[in-house]
Amino acid sequence: MEDQRPTESEQMAALSKRIGVPYVPLRGRSSAPEVLRAVPTRVAHFYGLFPLEWRDGALVVAMSHPEDAVTVDDIRQVLQTDVVAVLAGQEEIRDAFMRHYGVGAETLDELSPEASSGAAASRDAEDLKASSEDASVVKFVNQLLLEALEKRATDIHLEPYERELRVRRRVDGVLADVSVPATIQRFQAAIVSRIKVMADLDIAERRLPQDGRIQRKVAGNDVDMRVSILPTPFGESVTIRLLTSKLFLDLEQLGFFPQDMAYLESLLEKPHGIILLTGPTGSGKTTTLYSFLSKINREDAKIITIEDPIEYQLRGITQIQVQSKIGLDFARGLRSMLRHDPDVMMVGEIRDLETAEIAIRVALTGHLVFSTLHTNDAPGAVTRLIDMGLEPFLVSSSLECVIAQRLVRTICRHCKEEYRYEGSPADGFQKDRSVFRGRGCERCGFTGYYGRTTIYELLSIHRDIRDQIMQRSSSDQIRRLALGRGMKTLRQCGWEKIHAGLTTPEEVLRVTMKEEDA
């Protein structure tokens, strides 16, 4: 249902007329360094204001309650200068504060001199643990995580360099810098140590990679965070993967077209065979696999998975975590799963010949098997299995379908507009059809995009394809045959999503350029 609530800008414009104070939109507005220096971080945060400019000897500040004469007078006393207050929304002020002062700037101001010592990285474990438990360090890390979740980020990256600690987050598949205070590098060791403590990692070990997990409840939602630590010459690099409980496991919501949905549903009813998903990391393969499992998760079906890692817990499904240190890999887990009389099995990834052979033989003995493979397109998965060392007749008789997929950003529905596309994409793009884009608004963070959908190519292994597999045909030959029988390429699927008003030509070209222009 379309959200009809007024935006914050609309609310502020109405309030401005009522109280007689001018409203100044802050989106995209910047303040000069000398203006920012006039207001200490803690003062700006405490009073919820943002400094805009010097005007006739007075400091113009944006506030959500500029009519509060007592507060404005307090600000004059604290800053020892004349102040003129104008109206702005709380969210606008908060975003402007973070863009200019940085996430958690007021918290870093509170940290003790000891926590910011340049020698922090060389201190012993007890000192590191003490600094990681400083209330301000704890608060800063929590702010960093909460802000990322509010912005719908899936990953946070803390990347140390010689003269800076860079912080980035990935939203809708695209990485962007996070504004942080210039002083953050001084607190690098304490921040990393705090994350290690949360993930139950060894804070004294700074020479080897480490992996851990953090589980928290945020705003009523369970959040699972996967932490990975890598040593670098300038300190430890940290990546945090954010997995929330708001995972859409409804197959209809993934973006498959109705005719393909009907075919997939018929595949999921098959008693045996292999269904493969391919694509690079971050292309949504795991979410699609979980959606398949949820679709067939019934009382009369025994479903077992082996994964690395288990990204989401699925009720009614037995899930096994790969444990390489003790020899529990995909192949060994797959063999053990057979003793539990499963109907459906999922193997997180086919990485080697042994796993591939077992998966194929399991499919040939009456089990439905799901798995993933790292290839760029669907026909490439067939030749990859044979290149691993599998006999063509095994691949031909067990494989039912290969789906190659990518994720593209969808147009924000709140600022969607029609426009004339002047580019020159080939193979199937219809210039006479309507094309849309996002103008950029508050709800999408002025990117024009909100959320993602799937583009895919679906290779059905029918009789002609099986014959090609038996003849060890190349992936190009299999692709030509599949296209002749109606398979759409990733880009052609993208054109259909464009004409449906879901995404933009630029976005489709961005995610398909390497594969189809090679």
Side-chain angles (χ1 to χ4, degrees):
M1 184 176 179
E2 195 74 20
D3 188 355
Q4 298 297 329
R5 292 176 298 175
T7 64
E8 187 178 47
S9 295
E10 294 167 342
Q11 292 174 344
M12 290 300 106
L15 180 60
S16 172
K17 292 180 180 179
R18 186 158 61 86
I19 64 176
V21 177
Y23 165 56
V24 179
L26 301 184
R27 304 293 183 186
R29 179 166 181 147
S30 298
S31 295
E34 61 270 17
V35 176
L36 296 172
R37 285 195 294 268
V39 183
T41 306
R42 279 177 285 185
V43 173
H45 181 262
F46 180 80
Y47 287 105
L49 63 84
F50 182 72
L52 295 176
E53 61 183 353
W54 287 103
R55 184 190 300 164
D56 299 329
L59 182 65
V60 181
V61 300
M63 300 174 61
S64 59
H65 295 285
E67 76 282 7
D68 186 348
V70 175
T71 300
V72 174
D73 192 53
D74 284 347
I75 296 169
R76 290 191 184 101
Q77 295 296 324
V78 171
L79 298 180
Q80 294 293 298
T81 188
D82 191 19
V83 170
V84 175
V86 296
L87 177 66
Q90 286 184 339
E91 284 299 315
E92 291 180 309
I93 293 171
R94 178 171 172 267
D95 288 347
F97 179 91
M98 285 190 292
R99 276 191 288 113
H100 290 78
Y101 291 98
V103 175
E106 78 288 353
T107 303
L108 291 185
D109 267 3
E110 300 169 6
L111 283 171
S112 62
E114 289 78 11
S116 65
S117 167
S122 63
R123 294 186 305 211
D124 61 32
E126 288 303 314
D127 284 344
L128 281 172
K129 186 172 183 181
S131 68
S132 72
E133 292 173 351
D134 184 295
S136 295
V137 173
V138 172
K139 182 180 176 183
F140 175 80
V141 173
N142 289 343
Q143 284 177 315
L144 190 65
L145 297 174
L146 183 59
E147 173 70 14
L149 289 167
E150 289 177 350
K151 297 294 184 182
R152 302 179 297 108
T154 55
D155 302 87
I156 305 171
H157 299 263
L158 282 76
E159 304 162 334
Y161 297 100
E162 185 175 7
R163 292 184 176 86
E164 67 170 329
L165 177 63
R166 187 183 191 188
V167 181
R168 295 194 287 175
R169 60 185 170 221
R170 191 182 297 276
V171 179
D172 290 336
V174 177
L175 271 175
D177 283 311
V178 177
S179 178
V180 292
T183 57
I184 190 173
Q185 189 180 30
R186 291 159 43 201
F187 310 102
Q188 177 180 325
I191 292 168
V192 173
S193 296
R194 172 58 190 166
I195 294 171
K196 283 184 172 182
V197 168
M198 294 173 71
D200 197 24
L201 298 176
D202 184 356
I203 61 174
E205 179 55 74
R206 297 184 291 276
R207 300 166 300 170
L208 296 174
Q210 296 189 67
D211 294 298
R213 180 177 178 180
I214 303 169
Q215 290 180 299
R216 290 288 187 277
K217 187 175 284 290
V218 180
N221 295 309
D222 292 322
V223 181
D224 196 357
M225 296 172 246
R226 304 298 166 82
V227 178
S228 180
I229 310 284
L230 285 177
T232 78
F234 305 109
E236 292 173 291
S237 177
V238 181
T239 297
I240 304 174
R241 182 86 185 274
L242 303 171
L243 304 168
T244 68
S245 58
K246 291 183 177 179
L247 176 68
F248 293 112
L249 297 180
D250 189 345
L251 196 55
E252 284 75 13
Q253 296 182 25
L254 293 183
F256 290 102
F257 292 115
Q259 65 272 23
D260 295 326
M261 274 292 305
Y263 172 68
L264 288 174
E265 287 176 352
S266 69
L267 276 182
L268 297 180
E269 295 301 319
K270 284 183 174 288
H272 54 77
I274 293 183
I275 299 174
L276 281 180
L277 269 85
T278 76
T281 301
S283 60
K285 300 188 299 295
T286 301
T287 300
T288 302
L289 283 177
Y290 280 172
S291 299
F292 288 168
L293 295 179
S294 296
K295 188 76 174 179
I296 59 177
N297 187 10
R298 304 183 300 265
E299 186 178 335
D300 62 347
K302 173 73 171 182
I303 303 174
I304 308 179
T305 74
I306 180 162
E307 307 169 56
D308 184 25
I310 297 173
E311 296 204 2
Y312 295 94
Q313 301 287 341
L314 300 177
R315 185 177 180 275
I317 294 177
T318 303
Q319 295 173 270
I320 304 169
Q321 167 71 54
V322 166
Q323 303 281 354
S324 301
K325 293 180 180 178
I326 58 173
L328 178 56
D329 55 14
F330 284 115
R332 184 173 180 181
L334 195 50
R335 282 193 296 266
S336 299
M337 288 156 63
L338 281 171
R339 303 187 190 106
H340 287 256
D341 188 29
D343 298 296
V344 179
M345 304 168 74
M346 185 186 94
V347 185
E349 183 184 344
I350 293 178
R351 296 176 178 172
D352 51 49
L353 175 60
E354 185 181 11
T355 305
E357 283 181 332
I358 298 171
I360 291 237
R361 295 190 185 280
V362 165
L364 290 173
T365 54
H367 301 84
L368 185 60
V369 179
F370 301 107
S371 192
T372 69
L373 200 62
H374 282 287
T375 60
N376 289 330
D377 57 13
V382 176
T383 53
R384 174 70 184 278
L385 291 172
I386 295 173
D387 289 344
M388 279 184 175
L390 288 172
E391 291 295 332
F393 77 90
L394 290 175
V395 177
S396 171
S397 54
S398 61
L399 197 58
E400 294 291 338
C401 174
V402 182
I403 305 168
Q405 70 175 58
R406 303 290 186 276
L407 294 175
V408 294
R409 292 179 291 174
T410 51
I411 300 168
C412 174
R413 60 194 175 103
H414 298 287
C415 60
K416 184 176 178 179
E417 64 179 11
E418 189 172 353
Y419 79 112
R420 182 175 181 81
Y421 180 67
E422 300 295 343
S424 56
D427 58 310
F429 185 79
Q430 301 174 37
K431 285 195 170 184
D432 58 332
R433 298 280 297 274
S434 297
V435 179
F436 298 86
R437 65 183 174 192
R439 184 174 57 256
C441 66
E442 295 175 17
R443 289 183 174 91
C444 64
F446 294 88
T447 63
Y449 297 99
Y450 192 100
R452 290 188 286 177
T453 189
T454 306
I455 61 171
Y456 58 92
E457 55 184 32
L458 196 158
L459 175 64
S460 174
I461 310 297
H462 49 72
R463 181 177 299 175
D464 292 345
I465 298 292
R466 296 188 196 280
D467 290 343
Q468 293 290 316
I469 296 172
M470 291 294 292
Q471 296 170 26
R472 294 180 181 267
S473 298
S474 69
S475 60
D476 286 341
Q477 292 173 302
I478 294 173
R479 169 175 285 272
R480 283 194 293 270
L481 177 59
L483 290 174
R485 294 185 63 100
M487 184 187 84
K488 297 183 182 68
T489 67
L490 287 166
R491 187 172 292 177
Q492 289 168 343
C493 180
W495 296 158
E496 291 197 21
K497 294 291 177 88
I498 292 166
H499 298 317
L502 296 174
T503 189
T504 64
E506 294 85 358
E507 185 66 7
V508 171
L509 291 172
R510 180 181 70 85
V511 301
T512 63
M513 190 68 72
K514 292 180 182 178
E515 287 79 11
E516 299 194 21
D517 292 344

